[in-house]
């Protein structure tokens, strides 16, 4: 039966969100559902800021980074009044199903909304952090790895020219997926991720040992350390200072920052976004609600929304083991 579907993008934007909106629009058209897009994340629900999404408005979208619906982190929505207001507005707009593309904060928001609105809620994971339980990857993650990798390739050119130590901070919020995979794919010499960080004192000793082993083996050469954000006390400045205190000078910090959120999505993100968008629309009108659609071993899955943030997704063991081997045994 034909439904009125709404979609929004929330939290940190991620390359591939547009590809997902496009897939949802096409699938809705095919299934005879009406589709509207709320702008600026949950703010759009509070402000009743929505547009009709036709095939025309989503044409040529698959390759565009960012999100045409814009995004936001909406504090007001977290309150009871906020969620109540959003629920009233959804009823006024006669929405049957709300699709939320975002990360864990956005899914918590969707779950909060479900206490005030009895429509159907479907989440689609979109974040460069990949820190969502229940799906192998999140939309935007692969593009961010590529962006970080190619940036580190460039850092390497100048690091090699001066035989310097570079610290490259990558995003990930409190997870090391992006840092680990950026480090592995760029052949960086060391990676610091929250999952394995013990303490400043403990970790600086490991890093110094590694730098010394490399210098004993090769003389003074460049050394690139990928550092996940929010791990080292006082960030790159703190790590630079700790290295200086151990007699390691000429250290240069580089923060990649929001550049990692931009750019045209790579094929893996387009494929994930398209698959999940189409799969989500297939569930519209069913009894499945408060779920996230994800992909495990290239097959679509449904996961209760609450599990996506209450359970912790572990780093891929094989990748961790490869990185450890390459880090520790290269100079032994
Ligand atoms: O969750 C995506 C993310 O890019 C994180 O990696 C990062 O910590 C955060 O968002 C940055 O948020 P903002 O764009 O609000 O500064």
């Amino acid at each position: 039966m034909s439904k009125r579907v709404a979609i929004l993008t929330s939290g940190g934007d991620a390359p591939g969100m547009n590809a997902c909106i496009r897939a949802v629009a096409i699938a809705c058209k095919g299934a005879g559902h009406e589709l509207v897009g709320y702008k600026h994340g949950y703010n759009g629900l509070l402000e009743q800021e929505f547009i009709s999404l036709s095939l025309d408005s989503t044409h040529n979208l698959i390759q565009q980074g960012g999100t045409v619906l814009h995004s936001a982190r909406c504090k007001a929505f977290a309150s009871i009044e906020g969620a109540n207001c959003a629920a009233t507005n959804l009823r006024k707009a006669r929405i049957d199903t709300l699709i939320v593309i975002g990360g864990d904060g956005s899914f918590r928001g969707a779950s909060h909304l479900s206490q005030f609105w009895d429509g159907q809620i479907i989440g689609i994971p979109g974040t460069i952090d990949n820190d969502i339980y229940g799906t192998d990857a999140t939309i935007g993650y692969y593009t961010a790895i590529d962006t970080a990798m190619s940036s580190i390739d460039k850092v390497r050119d100048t690091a090699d020219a001066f035989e310097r130590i570079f610290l490259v901070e990558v995003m990930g919020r409190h997870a090391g997926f992006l840092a680990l995979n950026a480090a592995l794919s760029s052949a960086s010499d060391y990676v610091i991720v929250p999952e394995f960080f013990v303490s400043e004192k403990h970790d600086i000793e490991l890093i110094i040992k590694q730098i010394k082993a490399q210098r004993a083996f090769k003389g003074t050469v460049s050394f690139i350390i990928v550092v996940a954000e929010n791990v080292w006390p006082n960030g790159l400045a703190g790590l630079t200072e700790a290295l200086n205190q151990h007699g390691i000078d000429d250290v240069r910090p580089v923060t990649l920052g929001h550049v990692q959120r931009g750019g045209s999505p790579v094929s893996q993100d387009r494929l994930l976004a398209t698959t999940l968008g189409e799969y989500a629309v297939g569930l519209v009108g069913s009894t499945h609600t408060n779920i996230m659609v994800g992909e495990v071993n290239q097959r679509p899955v449904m996961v209760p929304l609450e599990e996506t943030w209450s359970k912790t997704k572990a780093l891929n063991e094989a990748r961790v083991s490869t990185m450890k081997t390459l880090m520790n045994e290269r100079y032994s």
Side-chain angles (χ1 to χ4, degrees), residues 12-13 73 127-129 131 171-173 178 229-230 258 261:
D13 51 283
R73 304 189 198 277
T127 164
I128 64 165
D129 302 335
D131 55 349
M171 282 186 167
R173 203 177 279 274
L178 186 50
E229 66 175 346
N230 302 319
H258 287 76
R261 290 233 297 253

Side-chain angles (χ1 to χ4, degrees), residues 176-295:
F177 296 96
L178 186 50
L180 173 68
N181 287 281
L184 254 182
S185 58
S186 63
S188 293
D189 300 278
Y190 203 92
V191 66
I192 299 170
V193 291
E195 290 82 353
F196 295 109
F197 179 75
V198 177
S199 69
E200 203 174 344
K201 186 172 176 305
H202 174 269
D203 283 56
I204 196 71
E205 274 166 22
L206 295 179
I207 296 168
I208 298 294
K209 190 172 152 222
Q210 197 65 21
I211 294 173
K212 284 191 177 153
Q214 189 212 47
R215 289 187 171 175
F217 194 74
K218 286 188 173 175
T220 305
V221 285
S222 66
F223 193 92
I224 297 179
I225 305 178
V226 173
V227 189
E229 66 175 346
N230 302 319
V231 179
W232 202 275
N234 202 21
L236 296 191
L239 181 52
T240 304
E241 203 185 314
L243 287 165
N244 292 164
Q245 278 167 4
H246 284 78
I248 309 278
D249 298 319
D250 213 16
V251 177
R252 293 289 184 276
V254 177
T255 300
L256 296 186
H258 287 76
V259 73
Q260 295 160 98
R261 290 233 297 253
S264 178
V266 298
S267 60
Q268 286 154 298
D269 280 326
R270 295 183 194 197
L271 292 170
L272 182 65
T274 303
T275 307
L276 295 186
E278 190 270 341
Y279 183 57
V281 174
L283 298 173
V284 166
S286 73
T287 52
H288 299 289
T289 187
N290 291 326
I291 48 130
M292 175 194 81
V293 294
E295 206 177 61

Side-chain angles (χ1 to χ4, degrees), residues 12 20 24 108 129 139 181 221 292 328:
C20 190
V24 167
R108 282 171 208 256
D129 302 335
I139 296 167
N181 287 281
V221 285
M292 175 194 81
N328 298 330

Side-chain angles (χ1 to χ4, degrees), residues 21-22 25-26 29 35 51-59:
I21 295 168
R22 168 189 175 268
I26 295 173
K29 172 91 179 13
L35 179 66
I51 51 169
S52 163
L53 282 176
S54 62
L55 285 195
D56 265 1
S57 58
T58 54
H59 177 67

Side-chain angles (χ1 to χ4, degrees), residues 88 129 138 187:
T88 306
D129 302 335
T138 53

Side-chain angles (χ1 to χ4, degrees), residues 306-322:
E306 205 181 315
E307 282 189 13
T308 66
W309 72 82
S310 60
K311 295 192 174 175
T312 304
K313 178 153 104 187
L315 293 179
N316 177 309
E317 271 178 39
R319 293 269 162 84
V320 170
S321 156
T322 304

Side-chain angles (χ1 to χ4, degrees), residues 116-127:
F116 305 88
W117 183 60
D118 58 8
Q120 185 185 25
I121 297 180
I122 303 175
I124 302 183
T127 164

